[in-house]
Amino acid sequence: MRLALFDLDNTLLGGDSDHAWGDYLCERGILDGVEYKARNDAFYQDYLAGRLILADYLSFSLEILGKTDMAQLQQWHREFMRDCIEPIILPKALELLQQHRDAGDKLVIITATNRFVTGPIAERLGVDTLLATECEMRDGRYTGHSTDVPCFREGKVTRLNRWLAEQGLSLEDSYFYSDSMNDLPLLEQVTHPVVVDPDPNLHGEAMRRGWKEISLRD
């Protein structure tokens, strides 16, 4: 079975779901609209620049999950999907997913953003397999901490290789679509790396290596 792997934020979505979740919480007055937003924006700029310290960001971004009961979190997420995610789902991304389905490929979303945020998004996109940064749970509640290997940079390769071994699959003739230089470790592993509306660093790398580049936004 051929694999078609997809980054989520700024690849299948016309924006970043993790950053948007923080903005949603600020806009609704759930979190401080000045201090939290400033830190959220700073972390996002670090991510774009390739200098994000993931442990620091996860401690910051997952804290709200540990402070809030599941029913409230689920209600917020439904509103978040409606107001923040639906508007940035790219029609061309849906077409690309369908092309790979029609070809009989196995679709996988692999993202650094945590599973709480991305699980319903993957479901909305019709992708059954999601590899994401995992949120620790205890007694039916989030703890506010992550668990397992974060699905970020080389961690994506680690998590994917473990999943491949569990499923008895390989990367033979595989595709991976991503916008970010942070995904270079995984782009180097697949047969068909495809850069999607890439950041400047990844665009330059793709040009140097002769990788295919596409846009899902024009």
Side-chain angles (χ1 to χ4, degrees), residues 20-21 24-26 28-31 61 63-85 116-117 120 141:
W21 169 247
Y24 163 83
L25 295 173
C26 292
R28 276 28 175 215
I30 299 163
L31 293 174
S61 63
E63 184 179 8
I64 185 66
L65 301 188
K67 291 181 174 181
T68 312
D69 67 65
M70 290 295 292
Q72 181 65 79
L73 286 170
Q74 289 166 356
Q75 178 184 334
W76 288 343
H77 202 294
R78 287 191 293 270
E79 296 171 359
F80 170 67
M81 288 290 296
R82 180 194 66 209
D83 297 341
C84 304
I85 297 302
F116 168 75
V117 169
R141 286 184 60 116

Side-chain angles (χ1 to χ4, degrees), residues 25-65:
L25 295 173
C26 292
E27 289 164 4
R28 276 28 175 215
I30 299 163
L31 293 174
D32 187 281
V34 177
E35 182 181 352
Y36 188 95
K37 179 170 174 51
R39 291 191 67 197
N40 194 42
D41 289 348
F43 277 122
Y44 186 52
Q45 290 304 312
D46 286 347
Y47 169 78
L48 294 176
R51 58 174 182 263
L52 179 68
I53 300 174
L54 187 62
D56 292 347
Y57 175 67
L58 290 175
S59 294
F60 166 76
S61 63
L62 299 182
E63 184 179 8
I64 185 66
L65 301 188

Side-chain angles (χ1 to χ4, degrees), residues 179-195:
D179 72 294
S180 175
M181 190 67 174
N182 288 298
D183 281 335
L184 184 62
L186 183 49
L187 285 163
E188 292 176 328
Q189 300 297 312
V190 299
T191 310
H192 306 287
V194 183
V195 299

Side-chain angles (χ1 to χ4, degrees), residues 39-180:
R39 291 191 67 197
N40 194 42
D41 289 348
F43 277 122
Y44 186 52
Q45 290 304 312
D46 286 347
Y47 169 78
L48 294 176
R51 58 174 182 263
L52 179 68
I53 300 174
L54 187 62
D56 292 347
Y57 175 67
L58 290 175
S59 294
F60 166 76
S61 63
L62 299 182
E63 184 179 8
I64 185 66
L65 301 188
K67 291 181 174 181
T68 312
D69 67 65
M70 290 295 292
Q72 181 65 79
L73 286 170
Q74 289 166 356
Q75 178 184 334
W76 288 343
H77 202 294
R78 287 191 293 270
E79 296 171 359
F80 170 67
M81 288 290 296
R82 180 194 66 209
D83 297 341
C84 304
I85 297 302
E86 284 294 336
I88 62 172
I89 293 176
L90 300 169
K92 286 190 174 181
L94 297 177
E95 293 173 7
L96 178 62
L97 291 168
Q98 191 58 48
Q99 288 172 14
H100 279 282
R101 283 193 199 94
D102 292 344
D105 299 337
K106 171 67 175 176
L107 276 57
V108 179
I109 290 175
I110 182 164
T111 175
T113 300
N114 69 76
R115 183 174 294 275
F116 168 75
V117 169
T118 58
I121 302 173
E123 183 177 352
R124 166 64 178 85
L125 297 176
V127 179
D128 295 333
T129 300
L130 170 67
L131 300 179
T133 296
E134 300 294 345
C135 305
E136 184 183 58
M137 296 191 73
R138 189 176 299 135
D139 299 325
R141 286 184 60 116
Y142 291 110
T143 66
H145 303 287
S146 65
T147 186
D148 205 343
V149 177
C151 202
F152 183 57
R153 294 183 184 152
E154 293 81 2
K156 279 194 176 182
V157 177
T158 299
R159 291 283 303 280
L160 178 62
N161 283 339
R162 188 173 69 196
W163 178 81
L164 290 171
E166 291 168 352
Q167 301 297 314
L169 299 173
S170 76
L171 290 177
E172 183 179 356
D173 203 24
S174 57
Y175 285 78
F176 178 42
Y177 296 85
S178 177
D179 72 294
S180 175

